[in-house]
Amino acid sequence: MKVLSKGTVYGLRALVYLATQKDRTGYVSIGEISEKLDISFHFLTKTFQMLTQKGILESYRGPSGGIALNKPAEQIFLFDIVKILEGDDFFDKCLLGLPGCGDFEPCPVHDFWKVAKAALKNEFEITSLAELGAKVTDERLRLSA
Amino acid sequence: MKVLSKGTVYGLRALVYLATQKDRTGYVSIGEISEKLDISFHFLTKTFQMLTQKGILESYRGPSGGIALNKPAEQIFLFDIVKILEGDDFFDKCLLGLPGCGDFEPCPVHDFWKVAKAALKNEFEITSLAELGAKVTDERLRLSA
DNA sequence: TTCTTTTGCGACTAAATACTCTTAAATCTT
DNA sequence: AAGATTTAAGAGTATTTAGTCGCAAAAGAA
């Protein structure tokens, strides 16, 4: 099941990494993250730009610059990140992609999907970066599992 | 949230359409379905070929040929269709796409995703084509909602 | 000021997905 | 047997997504 685009996945992995570095002060460079997590530097940069513009991250240029979470990891939820990177309507789309689909004019899978989607959305809403960061004991964010 | 590929969506819409035609005897031509649902004929043909090979559909060539459900719509579940069209591991994938991820060596979102995915999978497992077909009162399977 | 480090941003390339076209094979009709 | 209808299958094209490259802009250091 491919729910998230690559860009979103990279963003999530990188943010969880950041959440695990909470005892470090100052900024963490994109170069370091891209190296540690084996993610293309330029690709990651673009994803971070979006997160910076939307207030999830704070960025700073120049030596010892980089990025940092703009608020405590406890207050950043998967829901926020995914909505920014995948679009605001991410949790509202019809499973079949039919335009007018809604409670008033439901597609055949509307009721089914409404229930399933609500469960998923709830999980995204209650899960914070801090919670995820706490589970990462070592280098499990890399591809080389 | 884009969970399913276009091919799968087309397949689902077409199968639901077939389920609504249960009082008709014999085969329904792919041409008719592609026209009624506004789906590319050739694209639909490929999707149907896969469903035919996997025993969901029965096909017949020549005049008044076409396709037909190979068993009652009550016995065909979204789960079956999706697994055929998206791959057997559809409901087993790691949200972050990390290779070794599992209960033994979980990624940071493993527990979270396990719960959400189980709920989704269950919905797909219990929902049959018959159930969906019963909800389609008129031409709500077309794109022109 | 000049050089180095690091993010910002636009253009370019590659790969995956979606779609189209052509021809073959099966089956019915005349 | 010849032609029409309909699925099967593969090759080719287009669009979208993913990934790369190069350079400008900001900021610190020498």
Side-chain angles (χ1 to χ4, degrees), chain A residues 1-2 9 78 90 93 96 98-100 105-106 108-109 112 115 117 120 123 127 132 140-143 145, chain B residues 1-2 9 78 90 93 96 98-100 105-106 108-109 112 115 120 123 127 132 136 140-143 145:
Chain A
M1 178 155 35
K2 195 193 153 254
V9 166
L78 291 197
F90 183 71
K93 284 185 195 150
L96 302 183
L98 300 173
E105 205 171 11
V109 297
F112 151 69
V115 173
K117 203 165 47 178
L120 238 168
E123 289 288 328
T127 305
L132 298 182
R140 200 152 297 145
L141 287 166
R142 288 184 75 97
L143 275 177
Chain B
M1 181 157 33
K2 194 193 153 255
V9 165
L78 290 197
F90 184 71
K93 285 186 195 148
L96 301 182
L98 299 173
E105 205 172 11
V109 298
F112 151 68
V115 172
L120 238 169
E123 288 288 327
T127 305
L132 298 181
V136 184
R140 201 153 294 145
L141 288 166
R142 289 184 74 99
L143 276 178

Side-chain angles (χ1 to χ4, degrees), chain B residues 33-44:
Chain B
I33 299 173
S34 103
E35 207 174 301
K36 285 269 173 62
L37 303 188
D38 244 336
I39 298 172
S40 146
F41 171 79
H42 286 98
F43 203 118
L44 198 50

Side-chain angles (χ1 to χ4, degrees), chain A residues 110-126:
Chain A
H110 179 72
D111 293 338
F112 151 69
W113 187 230
K114 191 178 175 181
V115 173
K117 203 165 47 178
L120 238 168
K121 184 177 177 182
N122 184 251
E123 289 288 328
F124 276 85
E125 277 173 338
I126 65 177

Side-chain angles (χ1 to χ4, degrees), chain B:
Chain B
M1 181 157 33
K2 194 193 153 255
V3 175
L4 305 173
S5 69
K6 284 285 184 77
T8 301
V9 165
Y10 292 162
L12 278 177
R13 278 168 59 204
L15 287 174
V16 171
Y17 175 80
L18 269 184
T20 66
Q21 309 288 311
K22 60 185 304 187
D23 37 329
R24 283 168 64 179
T25 64
Y27 299 96
V28 178
S29 81
I30 300 180
E32 172 190 332
I33 299 173
S34 103
E35 207 174 301
K36 285 269 173 62
L37 303 188
D38 244 336
I39 298 172
S40 146
F41 171 79
H42 286 98
F43 203 118
L44 198 50
T45 293
K46 275 199 289 193
T47 302
F48 279 152
Q49 278 166 26
M50 218 165 325
L51 292 169
T52 302
Q53 285 161 7
K54 294 286 187 171
I56 299 285
L57 294 173
E58 186 189 356
S59 73
Y60 203 81
R61 301 192 209 191
S64 79
I67 56 161
L69 294 179
N70 205 19
K71 42 185 174 178
E74 286 77 17
Q75 290 170 35
I76 302 175
F77 297 90
L78 290 197
F79 184 74
D80 309 319
I81 300 160
V82 165
K83 280 227 300 189
I84 289 171
L85 296 179
E86 297 279 346
D88 268 336
D89 59 346
F90 184 71
F91 290 99
D92 302 319
K93 285 186 195 148
C94 168
L95 182 62
L96 301 182
L98 299 173
C101 178
D103 285 339
F104 179 64
E105 205 172 11
C107 83
V109 298
H110 179 72
D111 293 338
F112 151 68
W113 186 232
K114 190 178 176 182
V115 172
K117 203 165 48 179
L120 238 169
K121 184 177 178 182
N122 183 251
E123 288 288 327
F124 277 84
E125 278 173 337
I126 65 177
T127 305
S128 71
L129 280 187
E131 187 183 333
L132 298 181
K135 286 185 185 154
V136 184
T137 49
D138 68 301
E139 279 302 351
R140 201 153 294 145
L141 288 166
R142 289 184 74 99
L143 276 178
S144 46

Side-chain angles (χ1 to χ4, degrees), chain A residues 31-132:
Chain A
E32 172 190 330
I33 300 173
S34 104
E35 208 174 300
K36 285 268 175 59
L37 302 189
D38 243 336
I39 298 172
S40 149
F41 171 77
H42 285 99
F43 203 119
L44 197 51
T45 293
K46 273 197 293 191
T47 302
F48 278 152
Q49 278 166 28
M50 219 166 324
L51 293 169
T52 301
Q53 284 162 8
K54 294 287 186 171
I56 299 285
L57 294 173
E58 186 189 357
S59 73
Y60 202 80
R61 302 193 210 191
S64 79
I67 55 159
L69 295 179
N70 204 17
K71 42 184 177 179
E74 286 78 15
Q75 290 169 33
I76 302 175
F77 297 91
L78 291 197
F79 184 75
D80 309 320
I81 301 160
V82 164
K83 281 225 301 190
I84 289 171
L85 296 179
E86 296 280 346
D88 269 335
D89 59 346
F90 183 71
F91 290 100
D92 300 320
K93 284 185 195 150
C94 169
L95 183 62
L96 302 183
L98 300 173
C101 179
D103 286 339
F104 178 64
E105 205 171 11
C107 84
V109 297
H110 179 72
D111 293 338
F112 151 69
W113 187 230
K114 191 178 175 181
V115 173
K117 203 165 47 178
L120 238 168
K121 184 177 177 182
N122 184 251
E123 289 288 328
F124 276 85
E125 277 173 338
I126 65 177
T127 305
S128 72
L129 280 187
E131 187 183 332
L132 298 182

